[in-house]
Amino acid sequence: MTQKNWIYLILLVSLGTNLFLAGYLAGGQTNFRFGSKPSESMHLKGILKELPETSKKQLAPMLQQSKETSRYNKRKIHIARKKLLELMSEPELNKDAVKETMNTIKTLSSQNLEISQVILYEAITNASFANRLKMVDAMKRKSRRPHRQKAER
């Protein structure tokens, strides 16, 4: 390679690096790690960890039952989504089967949400004022979607 080509290569690498760093910093993704799980701040687990041990022990049976039910429902949702993809891939669309499958997904998702809400309700109504404030702080912590926070400002 000639000296001119080396200079172009170095400039191109430098430009790419600068664009990557600028996008990374401007995007507010400094805490993002690929493959990491979303923040717990708005999840039941993240909220309940603010409670004292006695409250956690009271909720433990409900949490265990909800975990099992939720896991079961998630498996069923996964199966229903696969079925939906299969139905969509057929030459003749079976509208009734598509609707039934989508209703199954909706019902299972609603069940999972309802279970979480019942547990959260129990935690809120049985918590002291100080513990409720801790739960509020946990809910206000940085969301897993930074762009939403920016839009709300």
Side-chain angles (χ1 to χ4, degrees):
M1 275 174 81
T2 65
Q3 186 177 6
K4 188 176 181 180
N5 288 343
W6 276 108
I7 291 173
Y8 284 136
L9 179 63
I10 291 169
L11 286 174
L12 184 64
V13 169
S14 175
L15 178 66
T17 304
N18 287 330
L19 287 174
F20 173 77
L21 288 174
Y24 180 79
L25 295 174
Q29 299 298 319
T30 55
N31 292 328
F32 181 77
R33 281 178 258 135
F34 289 100
S36 66
K37 292 186 178 183
S39 166
E40 289 183 341
S41 63
M42 291 302 289
H43 295 292
L44 192 59
K45 185 178 176 185
I47 295 165
L48 297 181
K49 77 178 180 183
E50 299 298 328
L51 295 175
E53 287 302 316
T54 55
S55 297
K56 289 179 189 177
K57 286 179 182 175
Q58 287 175 335
L59 294 171
M62 288 178 78
L63 286 169
Q64 184 59 36
Q65 178 63 38
S66 74
K67 187 185 289 187
E68 292 168 8
T69 304
S70 178
R71 201 174 288 148
Y72 174 80
N73 285 349
K74 285 179 183 177
R75 274 183 289 209
K76 291 289 189 181
I77 289 170
H78 182 73
I79 291 167
R81 285 182 178 160
K82 279 186 173 181
K83 181 180 177 184
L84 181 62
L85 294 176
E86 289 171 9
L87 290 169
M88 291 170 56
S89 300
E90 293 177 2
E92 287 294 318
L93 185 64
N94 183 343
K95 293 179 183 179
D96 292 333
V98 168
K99 190 170 193 161
E100 181 183 329
T101 304
M102 291 178 80
N103 282 334
T104 300
I105 294 169
K106 178 181 156 186
T107 302
L108 293 168
S109 297
S110 294
Q111 286 174 2
N112 281 351
L113 179 62
E114 186 176 341
I115 290 167
S116 295
Q117 288 179 341
V118 166
I119 293 171
L120 184 58
Y121 175 80
E122 289 297 320
I124 291 169
T125 56
N126 292 316
S128 67
F129 178 66
N131 288 330
R132 286 196 314 268
L133 289 179
K134 288 180 182 178
M135 292 167 73
V136 168
D137 287 341
M139 293 170 106
K140 286 182 176 179
R141 283 190 201 120
K142 188 175 180 180
S143 173
R144 66 179 168 178
R145 296 186 185 117
H147 62 277
R148 281 192 176 177
Q149 287 181 344
K150 291 177 185 175
E152 291 172 359
R153 290 181 191 164

